[in-house]
Coordinates of all heavy atoms in Angstrom, one line a residue:
G161 N -3.1 -79.3 -60.1 CA -3.5 -79.2 -61.5 C -2.4 -79.9 -62.4 O -2.7 -80.7 -63.2
Q162 N -1.1 -79.7 -61.9 CA 0.0 -80.4 -62.8 C 0.0 -81.9 -62.5 O 0.2 -82.6 -63.4 CB 1.3 -79.8 -62.2 CG 1.6 -78.3 -62.7 CD 2.7 -77.6 -62.0 OE1 3.2 -78.0 -61.0 NE2 3.1 -76.5 -62.5
S163 N -0.4 -82.3 -61.3 CA -0.4 -83.7 -61.0 C -1.6 -84.4 -61.8 O -1.5 -85.4 -62.4 CB -0.8 -83.9 -59.5 OG -0.9 -85.3 -59.1
A164 N -2.7 -83.6 -61.9 CA -3.8 -84.1 -62.7 C -3.4 -84.2 -64.2 O -3.8 -85.1 -64.9 CB -5.0 -83.1 -62.6
H165 N -2.6 -83.3 -64.8 CA -2.1 -83.3 -66.1 C -1.3 -84.6 -66.2 O -1.6 -85.4 -67.2 CB -1.4 -82.1 -66.3 CG -0.7 -82.0 -67.8 ND1 0.1 -81.0 -68.1 CD2 -1.0 -82.8 -68.8 CE1 0.3 -81.2 -69.4 NE2 -0.3 -82.3 -69.8
G166 N -0.4 -84.9 -65.3 CA 0.4 -86.1 -65.5 C -0.4 -87.4 -65.4 O -0.1 -88.3 -66.1
Q167 N -1.3 -87.4 -64.5 CA -2.3 -88.6 -64.4 C -3.0 -88.8 -65.6 O -3.2 -90.0 -66.0 CB -3.1 -88.5 -63.1 CG -2.3 -88.6 -61.8 CD -3.3 -88.3 -60.6 OE1 -4.3 -88.6 -60.6 NE2 -2.7 -87.5 -59.6
S168 N -3.5 -87.8 -66.3 CA -4.3 -88.0 -67.5 C -3.5 -88.6 -68.5 O -3.9 -89.3 -69.4 CB -4.9 -86.6 -67.8 OG -3.9 -85.7 -68.3
L169 N -2.2 -88.2 -68.6 CA -1.2 -88.8 -69.6 C -1.0 -90.3 -69.3 O -1.0 -91.1 -70.2 CB 0.0 -88.0 -69.5 CG 0.1 -86.6 -70.1 CD1 1.4 -85.9 -69.8 CD2 -0.3 -86.5 -71.5
K170 N -0.8 -90.5 -68.1 CA -0.5 -92.0 -67.7 C -1.7 -92.9 -68.0 O -1.6 -94.0 -68.4 CB -0.2 -92.1 -66.2 CG 1.1 -91.6 -65.8 CD 1.3 -91.7 -64.2 CE 2.7 -91.2 -63.9 NZ 2.9 -91.3 -62.4
L171 N -2.9 -92.3 -67.8 CA -4.2 -93.0 -68.1 C -4.5 -93.2 -69.6 O -5.6 -93.8 -70.0 CB -5.3 -92.5 -67.3 CG -5.2 -92.9 -65.8 CD1 -6.3 -92.0 -65.0 CD2 -5.3 -94.3 -65.5
G172 N -3.8 -92.4 -70.4 CA -4.1 -92.4 -71.9 C -5.3 -91.6 -72.2 O -5.8 -92.0 -73.3
L173 N -5.6 -90.7 -71.5 CA -6.8 -89.9 -71.8 C -6.5 -88.8 -72.6 O -7.5 -87.9 -73.0 CB -7.5 -89.4 -70.3 CG -8.1 -90.5 -69.5 CD1 -8.5 -89.8 -68.2 CD2 -9.1 -91.3 -70.1
Y174 N -5.2 -88.5 -73.0 CA -4.7 -87.3 -73.8 C -4.3 -87.9 -75.0 O -3.5 -89.0 -75.1 CB -3.7 -86.7 -73.0 CG -3.3 -85.3 -73.6 CD1 -4.1 -84.1 -73.3 CD2 -2.2 -85.2 -74.4 CE1 -3.6 -83.0 -73.9 CE2 -1.9 -84.0 -75.0 CZ -2.6 -82.9 -74.7 OH -2.2 -81.7 -75.2
P175 N -4.5 -87.3 -76.3 CA -5.1 -86.1 -76.4 C -6.6 -86.2 -76.5 O -7.2 -87.2 -77.1 CB -4.7 -85.6 -77.8 CG -4.4 -86.9 -78.5 CD -3.9 -87.9 -77.5
S176 N -7.3 -85.2 -76.0 CA -8.8 -85.0 -76.1 C -9.0 -83.7 -76.1 O -8.5 -82.8 -75.4 CB -9.4 -85.7 -74.7 OG -10.5 -85.0 -74.3
L177 N -10.0 -83.2 -76.9 CA -10.2 -81.7 -77.1 C -10.6 -81.2 -75.8 O -10.3 -80.1 -75.4 CB -11.3 -81.6 -78.2 CG -11.7 -80.1 -78.5 CD1 -10.6 -79.4 -79.0 CD2 -12.8 -80.0 -79.5
F178 N -11.6 -81.9 -75.1 CA -12.2 -81.4 -73.8 C -11.2 -81.2 -72.9 O -11.0 -80.2 -72.2 CB -13.3 -82.3 -73.4 CG -14.2 -81.9 -72.3 CD1 -14.4 -80.5 -72.1 CD2 -14.7 -82.7 -71.4 CE1 -15.2 -80.1 -71.1 CE2 -15.5 -82.4 -70.3 CZ -15.8 -80.9 -70.2
L179 N -10.2 -82.3 -72.7 CA -9.2 -82.3 -71.7 C -8.1 -81.1 -72.1 O -7.6 -80.4 -71.3 CB -8.5 -83.5 -71.6 CG -7.4 -83.8 -70.6 CD1 -7.7 -83.3 -69.2 CD2 -6.8 -85.2 -70.6
N180 N -7.7 -81.1 -73.4 CA -6.7 -80.1 -73.7 C -7.2 -78.6 -73.3 O -6.3 -77.9 -73.1 CB -6.6 -80.3 -75.4 CG -5.3 -79.5 -75.8 OD1 -4.2 -79.7 -75.3 ND2 -5.6 -78.6 -76.9
N181 N -8.5 -78.3 -73.8 CA -9.1 -77.0 -73.5 C -8.9 -76.8 -72.0 O -8.7 -75.6 -71.6 CB -10.4 -76.9 -74.0 CG -10.4 -76.8 -75.5 OD1 -9.5 -76.6 -76.2 ND2 -11.7 -76.9 -76.1
A182 N -9.2 -77.8 -71.2 CA -9.1 -77.6 -69.7 C -7.8 -77.3 -69.3 O -7.5 -76.6 -68.4 CB -9.7 -78.8 -69.1
L183 N -6.8 -78.0 -69.8 CA -5.3 -77.8 -69.5 C -4.9 -76.4 -70.0 O -4.2 -75.7 -69.1 CB -4.5 -78.8 -70.2 CG -4.6 -80.3 -69.5 CD1 -3.9 -81.3 -70.4 CD2 -3.8 -80.3 -68.2
I184 N -5.3 -75.9 -71.2 CA -4.9 -74.6 -71.6 C -5.5 -73.6 -70.6 O -4.8 -72.6 -70.3 CB -5.3 -74.4 -73.1 CG1 -4.6 -75.3 -74.0 CG2 -5.2 -72.9 -73.5 CD1 -5.1 -75.3 -75.5
H185 N -6.7 -73.8 -70.3 CA -7.4 -72.9 -69.4 C -6.6 -72.8 -68.0 O -6.5 -71.8 -67.5 CB -8.8 -73.2 -69.2 CG -9.6 -72.4 -68.4 ND1 -10.0 -71.1 -68.7 CD2 -10.1 -72.6 -67.1 CE1 -10.6 -70.6 -67.6 NE2 -10.8 -71.5 -66.7
F186 N -6.3 -74.0 -67.5 CA -5.6 -74.1 -66.1 C -4.3 -73.4 -66.3 O -4.0 -72.6 -65.4 CB -5.5 -75.5 -65.9 CG -4.5 -75.8 -64.7 CD1 -4.8 -75.3 -63.4 CD2 -3.2 -76.3 -65.0 CE1 -3.9 -75.5 -62.5 CE2 -2.3 -76.5 -64.0 CZ -2.7 -76.1 -62.7
Y187 N -3.5 -73.7 -67.2 CA -2.2 -73.1 -67.2 C -2.2 -71.7 -67.5 O -1.4 -70.9 -66.9 CB -1.2 -73.9 -68.2 CG -0.8 -75.2 -67.8 CD1 -1.2 -76.4 -68.4 CD2 0.1 -75.3 -66.6 CE1 -0.7 -77.6 -67.9 CE2 0.5 -76.4 -66.1 CZ 0.1 -77.6 -66.8 OH 0.6 -78.8 -66.3
S188 N -3.1 -71.2 -68.3 CA -3.2 -69.8 -68.6 C -3.6 -68.9 -67.4 O -3.4 -67.9 -67.1 CB -4.0 -69.5 -69.9 OG -5.3 -69.9 -69.7
L189 N -4.7 -69.6 -66.8 CA -5.2 -69.0 -65.5 C -4.4 -68.8 -64.4 O -4.4 -68.1 -63.5 CB -6.6 -69.7 -65.2 CG -7.7 -68.8 -64.5 CD1 -8.1 -67.7 -65.5 CD2 -8.8 -69.7 -64.1
T190 N -3.5 -69.8 -64.3 CA -2.5 -69.8 -63.1 C -1.1 -69.2 -63.4 O -0.1 -69.4 -62.7 CB -2.4 -71.3 -62.7 OG1 -2.0 -72.0 -63.7 CG2 -3.6 -71.8 -62.1

């Protein structure tokens, strides 16, 4: 999950509301 976070930053997909919510959900759930 952390790797996916890093790759999304490299690809310029962040910030995105949909992605940001998924990241918050991932980090809070883990």
Side-chain angles (χ1 to χ4, degrees):
Q162 291 165 342
S163 176
H165 184 184
Q167 289 171 42
S168 69
L169 293 173
K170 286 181 182 179
L171 292 169
L173 299 174
Y174 188 85
S176 148
L177 179 60
F178 191 31
L179 178 56
N180 190 56
N181 286 346
L183 285 166
I184 292 171
H185 180 73
F186 163 72
Y187 282 115
S188 63
L189 207 62
T190 54

